[in-house]
Amino acid sequence: GESVGLHLPTLSVQEGDNSIINCAYSNSASDYFIWYKQESGKGPQFIIDIRSNMDKRQGQRVTVLLNKTVKHLSLQIAATQPGDSAVYFCAEIFSGNTPLVFGKGTRLSVIA
Amino acid sequence: DAGVIQSPRHEVTEMGQEVTLRCKPISGHNSPFWYRQTMMRGLELLIYFNNNVPIDDSGMPEDRFSAKMPNASFSTLKIQPSEPRDSAVYFCASSLDGSTDTQYFGPGTRLTVL
C-alpha cells in the first residue's frame, strides 16, 4: 500500500494496552479539531472531533482531549487492537468554513 | 453507498506527459476536495469546489495543475506537463455542501512520474 511517511514519529504499543497520540496544533484561534486514521493503501477516515468549547469528548474506545492553553490535542485509544495500526492525523479548522489543516501524523504500531 | 471513487488507483508516467486524475464524489455530495500527500509535506489541500464552482484554489502548486468539476458528480485534476516532483498520492474527498468539517476521503491515486 501507499507509504504515508517513512519518517513519521512512531508509537509502538502492546495489544491490549492504551495508546495516547499527541498533536500540537498551530493556531490558538482554531475552533474545531478532528482526528483521522489512515490505514495503508487507504484514505484518511474520520475518528472523532471536538469543538474548542469542550476539553474532552468520548467515542467508542477513543477519547479526545483538548488543552487550549498549550494548544495540545491528544487521542487516547483504549485496549489497543492490531486493527488500530495506522497513521493518525490531527486536523484543525481555524474558523468558520476554512479548510482543514492537517498535522504531520503519527504512526501507531500495535504489537500482538 | 460506494463512497468516493477515484481512478486510476495507480498511474506511472514519464516526465512531460499529461496526467488526469478522476474523482466521483459520494452520491448527493456536490463538493469535491483535492489533496496531495507526500512524505515531505504531508497532506495538503490543493483545491475544493462547491456546486461546480472552485471555492479555494490557493493550494494549487502552479499553472501546470488544473482542476474542473464539469458536473455535479465528477471532478478531474490535471497535471500538464508532469514532473518527477509531482509524484505523490492524490486524494479526493467529498462533502455534502462544501462544509470543510465533514469530508469523506477516497482511496487515493498513487502517481509516479519518472
Side-chain angles (χ1 to χ4, degrees), chain B residues 92-109:
Chain B
C92 178
S94 78
S95 80
L96 179 61
D97 54 4
S99 56
T100 54
D101 59 353
T102 311
Q103 299 178 36
Y104 300 87
F105 282 78
T109 295

Side-chain angles (χ1 to χ4, degrees), chain A residues 16 18 57 62 96 99:
Chain A
N18 297 333
R57 189 151 188 243
V62 295

Side-chain angles (χ1 to χ4, degrees), chain A residues 5-47:
Chain A
L6 295 177
H7 306 293
L8 291 174
T10 298
L11 174 67
S12 295
V13 175
Q14 201 73 33
E15 181 180 0
D17 287 352
N18 297 333
S19 303
I20 300 176
I21 301 171
N22 297 304
C23 175
Y25 61 91
S26 60
N27 191 329
S28 58
S30 291
D31 63 6
Y32 181 65
F33 305 88
I34 306 175
W35 279 100
Y36 283 89
K37 172 186 180 183
Q38 187 176 20
E39 296 175 274
S40 182
K42 297 183 179 179
Q45 270 184 297
F46 173 95
I47 304 174

Side-chain angles (χ1 to χ4, degrees), chain A residues 1-8 32 34 36 38 41-46 49 51 89 93 96-100 102-104, chain B residues 9-10 33 35 37-43 45 48 56 89 91 97-110:
Chain A
E2 287 82 1
S3 175
V4 172
L6 295 177
H7 306 293
L8 291 174
Y32 181 65
I34 306 175
Y36 283 89
Q38 187 176 20
K42 297 183 179 179
Q45 270 184 297
F46 173 95
D49 60 357
R51 298 222 171 256
F89 295 93
I93 289 183
N97 202 39
T98 54
L100 283 171
F102 283 84
K104 293 300 183 185
Chain B
R9 291 296 314 277
H10 302 273
F33 294 67
Y35 290 85
Q37 188 174 46
T38 61
M39 285 190 287
M40 294 302 296
R41 300 174 67 89
L43 200 58
L45 177 66
Y48 74 100
D56 183 347
V89 181
F91 288 102
D97 54 4
S99 56
T100 54
D101 59 353
T102 311
Q103 299 178 36
Y104 300 87
F105 282 78
T109 295
R110 173 173 282 279

Side-chain angles (χ1 to χ4, degrees), chain B residues 66-85:
Chain B
S66 62
K68 294 181 180 179
M69 190 178 178
N71 60 59
S73 59
F74 185 65
S75 179
T76 60
L77 178 69
K78 182 184 291 187
I79 308 172
Q80 180 185 26
S82 58
E83 297 181 2
R85 61 192 167 121

